Amino acid sequence: MVDRCRYEWPAECLRVERRAEETAQAACCARPVADGADRCSLHAPEIAAEDSAIAAAPGDRGPSRGRRGPFTELFDGATLAGCTLRGAALAGVALRGADLRGATLTEADLRGASLRESDLREANLAGADLTDATLRDADLRGANLEGADLTDANLRATDARDANLRRATMVEVKLYRADMHKAYLGRADLTDANVESADLTKAYLGRAELTGAVLGRATLTRASLQGADLTDASIGRATLRRTTLYKAVLTDAYLGRTDLRGANCNSAELDGANLAQVDLGGANLRDANCAGVNLGRAEVSGANLRNVDLTGANLREATLSDSVLDRASLGGAICRDAKLEGVQLDGATLHGATFRNADMADASLEATHGARLTLREADLSGATLAEADLPAVDCWGTDLTDADCRGARLGGGDLRDSVLTDITVSQGTRCGEQTSAEAAADDAGAWDAIARAYNDLKGAYSEAGLVGKARRQHVLERRARGYEARANGSVTGYVQLRDGRPSVTPGQGNLAAYGAYLGSWASRVTTGFGVRPFRLTVWMLVLFAVAAVAYELDPGITEPIYYSVVTFTTAPPVDSEPTIPLVDAIALIETFGGTLLIVLLGYILGNRERF
């Protein structure tokens, strides 16, 4: 009778640390014992590696007993350290807890094999086929798996520190909680892989394929993902501090609550990605494509976003304090309630962007461009808007205290209820009509707010010695006051219905407001609200010309031009008298009108010096 090995796994495998509550698929070796030993060649540690390799080869497998389950052969707990099993056919075998340190398994067929808790340190598995294999809790430190096929393999909690997985195929592989510190995965295919909670600190994944992969809560501190494809990947709550993502593709990826502090995302593709509540403090996103990205409540303080494309991005309640966004494109971006203190937006494009209620104190928007930009209720105190081109900007309720608006273009917008205290303006500052605000004004309160804004701008221009621009704001203010008066007017208020009967209530109407509006209109068309002599001069010439033509028709006036000049400036000459009653009336009108217009001209010339 031949003595059998009777090696029991996992009971006799010292390499396996099993928890008491964990069930195991037990096995008992029934191979013949080696000469002079009490174990077979696979389980006797004193047997040479070559003999173990021969024992593992096909044809030397003795019958085994135990609960084999799906396995074709049971090599559990085998000692194969340093063995050469190049190209071995080991598909479906059980090598649980086996000692394969330094073993050569290049091009080996290990499909469906179980190497759970096996020791594969420094083993060479280059080109091996590990499709659907189980390497859970295995030790792969320093192992070489270059070009290996690990499709759908289970490497949960595997220790793969310093392992080489270059160009490995790891589609749908399970790396949950695996330790891959400093592992090399350059150009590896990890499509739809599960890398959740894995440790990839300082790992190299340059140009790796991670499309649809799950890296939630994974640690990738100082890892390199340069040029990696992470399209549709899920990286929520992961740690990517100081990680290199240069030219990485993260289109439509999910990075919610991810720690990306100090990460290098230069030229990365992040369009459509979800970075809600992510921490990008001090990160580098220069030249990155972040169109349509979601950065809601994200922390982006001190980040470099020069020339970044944030078109249509959501930065609501995000913190970008002291960040640099020079020449960035934020067209249509939503920055509502964002914190942008000290941010640099010099030369940025802000067309249609919304910064409503944003804190932009001490921000720099020098030479920015942004048609129909919304800065409503934003805090821009101390901000720099020099040379900014912001036509039709919405600054309703915006705080522009101490803002530098030299050379800025802010016309056509809405400055209602904005704070314009101590703003700095220059000859190049253009703040003309608030076209947007006037188009939306539908009551007296709105026109009052518009007039106040014009008055504040008039004061700013006056203090800067820009008299012409101050006069322009004065005209716009008086015009707005006229429209305010018209909005206050009421005729129907005089007639009230009481008990179904109409009654006149003078206290409810406001015809005087219409009178104020007509007076404002008359002042505008004649004197330009007391600051435009050209309009008055036109009226003077019209009156003089009409009177001169009338005098030409009267035979009693021999010199009509002379007569009109004297009549206009003083009184009709006594040496000539009109013979036609109508001409005589025209002379009286010219005398009165000329005197009035000359007085008004003096008023205008004196009033202009107030600004």
Side-chain angles (χ1 to χ4, degrees):
M1 182 176 179
V2 180
D3 291 332
R4 299 297 178 182
C5 177
R6 301 185 183 280
Y7 176 89
E8 294 185 4
W9 189 90
E12 296 185 52
C13 186
L14 300 179
R15 290 183 294 274
V16 177
E17 295 181 5
R18 192 165 301 283
R19 292 182 293 272
E21 70 277 7
E22 187 175 12
T23 59
Q25 188 182 46
C28 181
C29 181
R31 293 179 182 81
V33 298
D35 293 337
D38 58 352
R39 296 294 188 196
C40 68
S41 59
L42 285 171
H43 297 113
E46 65 275 8
I47 301 299
E50 290 78 6
D51 294 333
S52 295
I54 293 171
D60 190 37
R61 299 176 185 174
S64 60
R65 59 187 176 85
R67 295 189 296 134
R68 296 175 59 187
F71 304 119
T72 58
E73 192 60 77
L74 298 176
F75 293 152
D76 298 316
T79 303
L80 295 163
C83 292
T84 300
L85 294 163
R86 185 179 291 110
L90 297 166
V93 302
L95 281 158
R96 295 169 293 183
D99 185 357
L100 288 156
R101 287 172 296 168
T104 301
L105 289 149
T106 54
E107 306 297 334
D109 184 359
L110 287 156
R111 289 173 296 167
S114 177
L115 290 95
R116 180 170 179 171
E117 298 173 294
S118 59
D119 190 344
L120 286 150
R121 282 176 289 173
E122 305 297 334
N124 187 358
L125 290 102
D129 190 349
L130 288 147
T131 304
D132 201 32
T134 299
L135 290 100
R136 181 171 177 175
D137 297 305
D139 191 343
L140 283 158
R141 283 177 289 174
N144 180 18
L145 289 105
E146 183 174 351
D149 189 349
L150 289 147
T151 302
D152 205 26
N154 184 359
L155 283 84
R156 177 169 177 161
T158 297
D159 188 349
R161 286 175 286 175
D162 297 305
N164 178 18
L165 289 126
R166 184 173 182 266
R167 294 183 181 272
T169 302
M170 304 173 76
V171 178
E172 296 186 4
V173 72
K174 299 169 187 65
L175 286 160
Y176 177 75
R177 297 183 66 184
D179 187 351
M180 305 186 76
H181 188 91
K182 291 187 178 181
Y184 189 94
L185 292 104
R187 296 180 182 269
D189 187 354
L190 287 142
T191 303
D192 296 321
N194 182 1
V195 198
E196 188 174 358
S197 301
D199 186 357
L200 287 148
T201 303
K202 296 184 180 180
Y204 181 80
L205 291 99
R207 299 192 180 183
E209 180 67 54
L210 287 149
T211 304
V214 177
L215 291 99
R217 300 180 186 273
T219 302
L220 289 129
T221 303
R222 296 191 179 184
S224 176
L225 287 96
Q226 180 174 332
D229 189 349
L230 290 137
T231 304
D232 289 315
S234 177
I235 319 173
R237 297 178 183 268
T239 302
L240 286 93
R241 267 181 279 181
R242 301 181 69 178
T243 300
T244 300
L245 288 156
Y246 176 71
K247 288 191 175 181
V249 179
L250 291 128
T251 303
D252 297 322
Y254 175 77
L255 292 97
R257 298 177 183 269
T258 298
D259 185 354
L260 279 155
R261 284 176 288 176
N264 181 11
C265 301
N266 193 347
S267 302
E269 293 287 337
L270 287 151
D271 49 309
N274 186 348
L275 286 89
Q277 301 184 58
V278 73
D279 191 346
L280 279 158
N284 178 18
L285 286 97
R286 182 167 183 165
D287 299 313
N289 179 14
C290 296
V293 72
N294 179 15
L295 281 160
R297 297 187 179 182
E299 175 63 56
V300 200
S301 297
N304 180 6
L305 291 100
R306 281 189 176 93
N307 205 37
V308 69
D309 185 359
L310 285 159
T311 305
N314 175 22
L315 290 100
R316 185 165 184 169
E317 298 184 47
T319 302
L320 290 97
S321 302
D322 300 315
S323 293
V324 180
L325 287 99
D326 295 346
R327 299 184 302 279
S329 177
L330 286 101
I334 300 173
C335 301
R336 185 169 181 171
D337 300 307
K339 295 180 181 179
L340 295 148
E341 305 101 316
V343 71
Q344 292 184 35
L345 283 155
D346 299 342
T349 302
L350 306 170
H351 298 299
T354 300
F355 289 84
R356 183 168 182 174
N357 203 36
D359 185 354
M360 302 178 72
D362 300 315
S364 176
L365 288 88
E366 188 171 346
T368 53
H369 305 273
R372 301 198 176 278
L373 172 66
T374 300
L375 292 164
R376 184 174 293 194
E377 298 177 358
D379 183 359
L380 280 157
S381 54
T384 301
L385 291 104
E387 304 299 332
D389 187 5
L390 304 171
V393 62
D394 183 356
C395 287
W396 191 351
T398 302
D399 187 354
L400 287 157
T401 305
D402 293 318
D404 183 357
C405 299
R406 288 176 292 183
R409 180 186 175 190
L410 303 169
D414 189 344
L415 292 164
R416 285 178 287 176
D417 298 324
S418 58
V419 182
L420 300 166
T421 307
D422 297 326
I423 66 168
T424 304
V425 293
S426 67
Q427 189 68 40
T429 304
R430 287 170 287 178
C431 294
E433 294 183 30
Q434 299 178 55
T435 309
S436 300
E438 293 184 5
D442 55 1
D443 56 23
W447 284 110
D448 174 64
I450 293 169
R452 289 177 185 275
Y454 286 138
N455 182 69
D456 290 341
L457 288 169
K458 177 177 71 176
Y461 281 122
S462 254
E463 290 180 10
L466 301 169
V467 179
K469 290 186 173 290
R471 291 170 186 159
R472 169 65 173 162
Q473 296 301 318
H474 169 75
V475 171
L476 293 172
E477 177 195 359
R478 290 290 304 275
R479 188 183 64 133
R481 290 298 180 192
Y483 289 136
E484 178 190 2
R486 184 180 65 180
N488 270 324
S490 175
V491 176
T492 56
Y494 283 105
V495 181
Q496 303 289 322
L497 291 175
R498 294 182 179 177
D499 299 329
R501 296 180 180 179
S503 62
V504 178
T505 309
Q508 299 297 324
N510 190 2
L511 281 175
Y514 286 116
Y517 169 68
L518 290 174
S520 173
W521 178 82
S523 177
R524 181 174 55 159
V525 298
T526 56
T527 67
F529 295 113
V531 293
R532 291 184 172 175
F534 177 75
R535 293 189 180 186
L536 189 66
T537 303
V538 170
W539 283 108
M540 293 171 74
L541 292 174
V542 169
L543 178 59
F544 175 80
V546 170
V549 171
Y551 299 152
E552 186 72 35
L553 300 176
D554 194 310
I557 300 175
T558 57
E559 297 182 16
I561 301 298
Y562 168 77
Y563 190 89
S564 182
V565 170
V566 174
T567 302
F568 184 88
T569 54
T570 57
V574 294
D575 55 347
S576 298
E577 293 185 5
T579 58
I580 302 174
L582 179 60
V583 174
D584 192 24
I586 290 174
L588 293 176
I589 292 172
E590 185 183 15
T591 300
F592 176 77
T595 303
L596 177 62
L597 292 175
I598 291 172
V599 171
L600 288 175
L601 179 62
Y603 163 73
I604 292 173
L605 296 176
N607 192 50
R608 282 166 60 87
E609 297 304 317
R610 293 171 49 200
F611 302 100

